[in-house]
Amino acid sequence: MHFSIPDVQQFRDDNGITYTGYNIYIDGFFHCTTRYKQLLSLHEQLQAQNPYLKLPQFPPKKLFLTNSQIEERRILLEKYIQLVGQNPILAYSDILTTFLFSAQQETHCVRVHEVDIEIFLMNGYRIPLSVSSTDASGAVLDIACNYINLSKDFVKFFSLYLFNWSCAKDGQPCLKKLEEYESPYISQKYVRPDDKIVLRKSYWDPCYDMDVMSDRVSLDLLYLQTIQDIDLGWIVVNSQMRDILNSHESRKEKKEYIEVARSCRYYGRVPAGEAVTEAHHVTGAATSGAGGGPCRVRVSLASKELTLTSVTQPVREQRYKVTRMRCWRITTLHTMEKPQSNGHGSLLDDTNKHFELSFEYLISKDNLEWITLRTEHAIFISVCLQSIVDELMRQKSGSGPASPRCKRGGLTYLRRDGSSQLITPSSSSDTLSSVNGDSMTSGSSREIFSVQKLTEKFASVSFKTGKDCVENNAFEAIGDEEL
């Protein structure tokens, strides 16, 4: 999980006392607002659950903070939660999952009640469901799969995603997997209201297609997604291939259709928008940064690889194997001055691109080189890379395509107002309250939060800067003869 705390909010409680709320983003999107004491309570419970594990240092307590001290605390809390998210034991702990789920519910003042939501298949078919407003993603996925009669043995191949059709058509990042620490109802209604909740395959490696095609319902789901991916241009087909595909589609030959699509260029890829790079493999320079100049590229990810395709002529394409990325990191670019012309127009001065994603790549034996992409979609790319690595590691261990669901466990949840509630695994949806309806309280302690993408902010994202890189557990040291 990619955590950040880019900014804060000021609140006033019912007694007129002002306090600071820290806005937590996960994977680039707003998730919840918490107080310092809530994060401290989380820290103490994580430590109690893991007595032999050294947790990251938690920022010290201070009273009557000045604005500069609040900013300092924000940075320290951000660093803390980022280190927690990078530790697999802590990141997948039931306590953290329950805390994040409860904090999302409290932030949006959602109480448990029955709601009607729609899950879409990739052909636009709607699955109408009645669920609890605080049902987690796994529970809603199970209900949706049961509705379409998908066997429980095949649910592991699919997940729920927030999907933006407009971005999908433009080749921009359009998918956000719904995780177990969030409610699909809350995430869609309050965070990404323009998105639809869709049911898609959850794996990268096409080898799992063989299992999926052995079941009638899962075959239908894969077939519909493949047709949509071709229509969106994610899978590139020539006129001859299209004629063959149209012939199979007209005869409802679904397996044959998928088999042909699997042989097409970019099958299974996910577009990740545009970026600017000076990697010589794409710019055509002899060495990185040597005379080639910056190049605008389209980024996409598929099973075990990241692909860069130049936007301008002549079109060049470079594929980077994920197993040869030793590590990667995200940095934030800060500029307070008006961009100056550098002879390359506005290519490197695009105000939308404040982020860089860099990965250390094994070019040849004992020859590692940093490849840097300047892109507003750095977090999305990093999330995809981590997802690919996780799948590779599961394959290596002999487990299935899907990661085990994070279970919610016992937690004493400290609310913003100082009251607490014991949440247990047996609680109904592990919710904070059983009062019906969404509570849009009129008290002064709640502010309506205007959700923005993290990339619209200038705040520091320090979790992958400098030496703090994501280490790739699937990295393979290879010899020259294998290149």
Side-chain angles (χ1 to χ4, degrees):
M1 288 185 283
H2 292 248
F3 285 103
S4 63
I5 304 178
D7 55 16
V8 301
Q9 290 185 87
Q10 295 301 318
F11 294 87
R12 192 181 302 275
D13 65 19
D14 295 334
N15 297 319
I17 299 174
T18 300
Y19 65 87
T20 301
Y22 297 87
N23 296 323
I24 296 179
Y25 284 61
I26 304 178
D27 295 343
F29 288 92
F30 176 71
H31 181 76
C32 63
T33 302
T34 65
R35 297 183 68 170
Y36 169 87
K37 63 183 180 182
Q38 291 179 290
L39 291 173
L40 175 60
S41 175
L42 169 65
H43 170 75
E44 292 171 345
Q45 293 182 71
L46 285 173
Q47 188 65 80
Q49 186 187 58
N50 304 278
Y52 303 108
L53 181 65
K54 184 178 180 181
L55 266 66
Q57 184 176 359
F58 196 83
K61 291 182 180 180
K62 290 183 181 179
L63 297 176
F64 309 113
L65 274 63
T66 63
N67 288 338
S68 62
Q69 289 173 324
I70 290 175
E71 173 62 11
E72 179 184 2
R73 173 175 283 184
R74 180 195 68 78
I75 293 172
L76 292 174
L77 287 173
E78 180 179 65
K79 185 66 175 178
Y80 169 80
I81 196 68
Q82 287 163 355
L83 291 173
V84 167
Q86 291 176 32
N87 185 310
I89 296 176
L90 301 176
Y92 295 105
S93 70
D94 54 0
I95 286 181
L96 180 61
T97 300
T98 306
F99 175 85
L100 293 173
F101 189 87
S102 302
Q104 184 192 45
Q105 180 188 348
E106 183 186 22
T107 295
H108 297 290
C109 299
V110 174
R111 306 303 179 90
V112 58
H113 63 293
E114 188 174 289
V115 295
D116 295 326
I117 65 171
E118 292 179 330
I119 310 297
F120 288 81
L121 303 185
M122 294 312 297
N123 65 341
Y125 177 80
R126 301 183 181 189
I127 303 174
L129 299 178
S130 291
V131 301
S132 168
S133 59
T134 54
D135 273 344
S137 300
V140 177
L141 173 64
D142 290 340
I143 295 171
C145 290
N146 182 64
Y147 184 93
I148 59 175
N149 297 317
L150 178 64
S151 168
K152 291 182 179 180
D153 293 334
F154 292 87
V155 174
K156 62 186 177 184
F157 294 104
F158 298 91
S159 290
L160 297 179
Y161 294 84
L162 288 172
F163 187 84
N164 188 294
W165 294 94
S166 177
C167 291
K169 295 175 182 176
D170 294 336
Q172 302 298 312
C174 59
L175 289 167
K176 194 271 181 206
K177 185 178 179 181
L178 288 164
E179 303 287 357
E180 210 45 26
Y181 55 73
E182 61 188 318
S183 155
Y185 167 75
I186 297 176
S187 293
Q188 194 272 337
K189 180 175 181 178
Y190 295 102
V191 180
R192 298 182 65 168
D194 294 331
D195 291 4
K196 304 294 185 183
I197 302 176
V198 300
L199 181 63
R200 290 177 58 91
K201 67 177 185 180
S202 59
Y203 56 87
W204 292 92
D205 195 333
C207 73
Y208 294 116
D209 289 347
M210 300 298 103
D211 295 319
V212 170
M213 288 192 288
S214 66
D215 175 79
R216 179 184 61 82
V217 178
S218 61
L219 169 64
D220 286 344
L221 294 175
L222 180 60
Y223 174 68
L224 295 176
Q225 179 174 328
T226 304
I227 291 176
Q228 185 62 52
D229 287 356
I230 291 174
D231 290 343
L232 290 171
W234 294 10
I235 303 173
V236 178
V237 297
N238 57 35
S239 57
Q240 182 181 4
M241 284 290 193
R242 188 169 290 279
D243 289 340
I244 296 174
L245 289 168
N246 290 339
S247 176
H248 287 311
E249 185 177 1
S250 65
R251 296 196 293 265
K252 304 296 182 183
E253 296 170 342
K254 300 173 184 178
K255 287 186 179 180
E256 291 79 1
Y257 184 98
I258 294 172
E259 288 293 353
V260 173
R262 280 164 50 87
S263 67
C264 293
R265 192 181 182 193
Y266 300 132
Y267 177 80
R269 78 161 175 171
V270 173
E274 292 190 358
V276 173
T277 184
E278 294 192 20
H280 63 86
H281 316 96
V282 183
T283 63
T287 58
S288 183
C295 177
R296 191 179 295 277
V297 296
R298 294 187 181 93
V299 185
S300 62
L301 298 105
S303 174
K304 304 177 184 177
E305 66 182 22
L306 178 149
T307 302
L308 303 181
T309 307
S310 61
V311 173
T312 57
Q313 298 293 335
V315 176
R316 293 187 176 91
E317 181 177 283
Q318 179 64 37
R319 299 189 179 191
Y320 297 94
K321 294 183 179 179
V322 173
T323 51
R324 284 162 59 181
M325 297 179 184
R326 193 184 71 82
C327 61
W328 67 86
R329 68 183 180 215
I330 295 174
T331 54
T332 309
L333 309 178
H334 296 274
T335 175
M336 300 304 294
E337 299 178 356
K338 185 177 180 179
Q340 300 295 318
S341 175
N342 60 2
H344 302 292
S346 61
L347 194 58
L348 286 175
D349 297 326
D350 191 333
T351 55
N352 287 327
K353 294 176 172 61
H354 304 304
F355 290 80
E356 282 186 350
L357 180 135
S358 303
F359 55 90
E360 194 174 22
Y361 193 73
L362 188 65
I363 301 297
S364 59
K365 188 175 182 180
D366 301 324
N367 180 19
L368 288 162
E369 179 180 318
W370 280 99
I371 309 297
T372 298
L373 305 175
R374 184 173 297 186
T375 170
E376 61 176 316
H377 307 303
I379 296 175
F380 177 81
I381 297 171
S382 180
V383 170
C384 289
L385 288 174
Q386 187 61 61
S387 176
I388 293 171
V389 169
D390 289 345
E391 182 174 288
L392 288 170
M393 297 309 296
R394 288 194 298 272
Q395 289 177 335
K396 206 169 187 177
S397 66
S399 57
S403 56
R405 290 182 185 175
C406 297
K407 298 180 180 179
R408 294 203 295 278
L411 170 78
T412 300
Y413 182 74
L414 183 67
R415 300 172 187 255
R416 286 192 216 165
D417 62 8
S419 63
S420 60
Q421 177 175 341
L422 177 62
I423 300 175
T424 65
S426 59
S427 302
S428 176
S429 296
D430 291 345
T431 54
L432 297 179
S433 172
S434 59
V435 178
N436 290 332
D438 287 9
S439 176
M440 303 299 290
T441 57
S442 59
S444 57
S445 64
R446 186 179 190 277
E447 292 183 2
I448 303 300
F449 184 75
S450 177
V451 177
Q452 296 178 311
K453 288 184 179 179
L454 181 60
T455 50
E456 294 173 356
K457 302 178 181 294
F458 287 91
S460 170
V461 179
S462 59
F463 53 96
K464 302 293 178 276
T465 59
K467 64 180 180 180
D468 296 326
C469 299
V470 177
E471 296 293 334
N472 181 5
N473 292 325
F475 175 72
E476 298 174 352
I478 58 178
D480 290 321
E481 66 279 1
E482 298 177 80
L483 295 177

